[in-house]
């Protein structure tokens, strides 16, 4: 297949491209700079210059392809507009892809989040059949505001697009992870002198190795049915306290409870305060059965034990 990808130089995209090429696909990546173009070429992809604001260019690239993988978002908007601005900017992008692919049956596979649908009180692990809940103004400033992007992508199935969402967990780890939650948590611990966890730390966080994420995107592209959600989940739920203790053992720092109140929690976690308290157990059973996906990389605690997150520098 001729595959067009956005976000090809990011943490996920830089693994998705080699995964696709090794499976025999021809990949073209979107590049807004010379640096990005060079990185895409190094991964073996062809380069299309442009950016996410050029909707006509995105439509043309999608129409020229046999399928699209969309893992980019406007991170540059975070400092000024937060997640609300990022989601608002992404919606016209996926609608543009939908317009280009409508009626073709071609795949559009986009990245979603286990943290956004709004399932904190399910009382069981979330499954791929649990829809993203409505977002709207009541959820501004939270991950849930992005649900409009996910529901729009899945809804494109009604317009003849083989669309699906790959829901990523709060932690996607690897030796190339430099900007995810783990590096942020580790940096916080070094700054504070202790490794914090919220309350009793029993809230569950799912995790996955980014190379397993890449294989799931490929499988969803190749054979995923339309209008579906997939769970890129390897560890279905690790108590936050265990993650903190693993970090602490590597750094030689104590893992301590940060009381889950309005003063103490933001006092330690800052802008992560709303995220670290989430309880997000999730299942991958439907994904594995439907697509034949089997995570094969090290689990989170084993990857932390490998030490690469704690290299000097």
């Amino acid at each position: 297949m001729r595959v067009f990808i956005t976000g090809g130089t990011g943490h996920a995209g830089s693994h998705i491209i080699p995964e696709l090429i090794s499976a025999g696909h021809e990949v073209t990546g979107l590049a807004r700079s010379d640096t990005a173009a060079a990185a895409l070429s190094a991964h073996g992809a062809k380069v299309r210059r442009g950016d996410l604001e050029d909707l006509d260019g995105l439509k043309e690239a999608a129409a020229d392809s046999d399928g699209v993988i969309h893992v980019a978002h406007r991170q540059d908007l975070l400092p000024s507009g937060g997640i609300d601005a990022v989601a608002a900017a992404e919606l016209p992008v996926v609608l543009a892809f939908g317009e280009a692919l409508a009626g073709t049956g071609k795949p559009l596979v986009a990245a979603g989040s286990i943290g956004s649908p709004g399932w904190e009180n399910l009382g069981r692990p979330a499954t791929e059949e649990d829809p993203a809940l409505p977002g709207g103004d009541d959820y501004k400033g939270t991950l849930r505001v992005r649900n409009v992007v996910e529901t729009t992508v899945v809804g494109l199935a009604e317009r003849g697009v083989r669309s699906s969402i790959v829901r990523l967990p709060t932690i996607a780890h690897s030796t190339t992870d430099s900007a995810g939650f783990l590096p942020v948590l580790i940096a916080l611990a070094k700054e504070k002198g202790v490794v914090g966890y919220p309350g009793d730390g029993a809230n569950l966080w799912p995790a996955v190795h980014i190379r397993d994420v890449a294989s799931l995107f490929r499988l969803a592209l190749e054979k995923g049915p339309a209008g579906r959600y997939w769970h890129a989940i390897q560890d279905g739920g690790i108590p936050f306290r265990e993650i903190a203790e693993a970090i602490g053992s590597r750094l030689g720092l104590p893992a301590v409870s940060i009381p889950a109140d309005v003063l103490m929690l933001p006092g330690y976690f800052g802008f992560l305060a709303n995220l670290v308290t989430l309880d997000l157990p999730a299942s991958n059973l439907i994904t594995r059965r439907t697509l034949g996906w089997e995570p094969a990389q090290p689990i989170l605690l084993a990857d932390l034990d490998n030490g690469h997150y704690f290299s000097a520098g």
Side-chain angles (χ1 to χ4, degrees):
M1 295 172 64
R2 292 172 296 119
V3 184
F4 177 62
I5 183 171
T6 70
T9 61
H11 187 212
S14 60
H15 287 81
I16 292 170
I17 290 174
E19 173 76 20
L20 292 173
I21 291 173
S22 67
H25 301 296
E26 178 186 295
V27 182
T28 298
L30 182 70
R32 67 180 184 275
S33 68
D34 291 343
T35 301
L40 289 170
S41 296
H43 291 312
K46 296 182 177 180
V47 175
R48 182 185 179 94
R49 295 301 293 261
D51 58 44
L52 294 176
E53 297 172 89
D54 178 12
L55 299 181
D56 288 337
L58 295 179
K59 291 177 191 175
E60 184 178 286
D64 288 343
S65 73
D66 298 315
V68 175
I69 289 180
H70 172 57
V71 292
H73 57 272
R74 293 283 306 281
Q75 284 183 306
D76 59 299
L77 297 176
L78 278 172
S80 58
I83 188 67
D84 302 341
V86 175
E90 191 173 4
L91 186 57
V93 171
V94 297
L95 286 171
F97 287 143
E99 185 177 331
L101 300 176
T104 65
K106 293 177 181 179
L108 167 63
V109 185
S113 172
I114 288 291
S116 66
W119 303 318
E120 292 85 73
N121 300 308
L122 269 182
R124 58 169 172 77
T127 79
E128 297 88 338
E129 294 180 339
D130 289 312
L133 300 180
D137 289 347
D138 290 344
Y139 299 96
K140 282 188 173 181
T142 73
L143 284 174
R144 187 163 164 179
V145 77
R146 191 182 172 275
N147 282 4
V148 64
V149 176
E150 300 190 17
T151 55
T152 297
V153 170
V154 168
L156 291 172
E158 298 177 4
R159 297 178 56 193
V161 182
R162 190 159 57 82
S163 59
S164 64
I165 288 284
V166 174
R167 288 170 170 159
L168 300 173
T170 37
I171 293 180
H173 53 96
S174 78
T175 56
T176 60
D177 176 20
S178 60
F181 279 121
L182 281 181
V184 173
L185 293 175
I186 291 166
L188 263 179
K190 291 178 178 178
E191 175 191 339
K192 305 289 188 179
V194 296
V195 190
Y197 55 85
D200 62 5
N203 58 306
L204 300 176
W205 267 30
V208 69
H209 195 286
I210 203 69
R211 288 178 63 184
D212 288 320
V213 169
S215 67
L216 178 50
F217 270 94
R218 175 181 60 78
L219 290 168
L221 180 87
E222 291 173 345
K223 60 181 181 179
R228 301 287 292 273
Y229 290 97
W230 311 113
H231 281 187
I233 300 297
Q234 182 179 32
D235 296 293
I238 308 168
F240 198 105
R241 179 173 181 168
E242 290 186 18
I243 299 171
E245 289 171 343
I247 292 172
S249 68
R250 271 286 174 175
L251 294 178
L253 296 174
V256 301
S257 170
I258 308 298
D261 64 40
V262 68
L263 293 177
M264 294 298 293
L265 200 59
Y268 180 94
F269 288 107
F271 72 96
L272 292 178
N274 289 332
L275 296 176
V276 297
T277 56
L278 294 178
D279 186 44
L280 298 168
S283 166
N284 66 11
L285 185 60
I286 293 172
T287 300
R288 286 169 37 229
R289 284 181 174 173
T290 307
L291 299 180
W293 179 65
E294 288 299 334
Q297 302 302 316
I299 62 172
L300 172 61
L301 296 181
D303 211 14
L304 282 172
D305 205 38
N306 286 336
H308 57 83
Y309 275 103
F310 307 96
S311 301

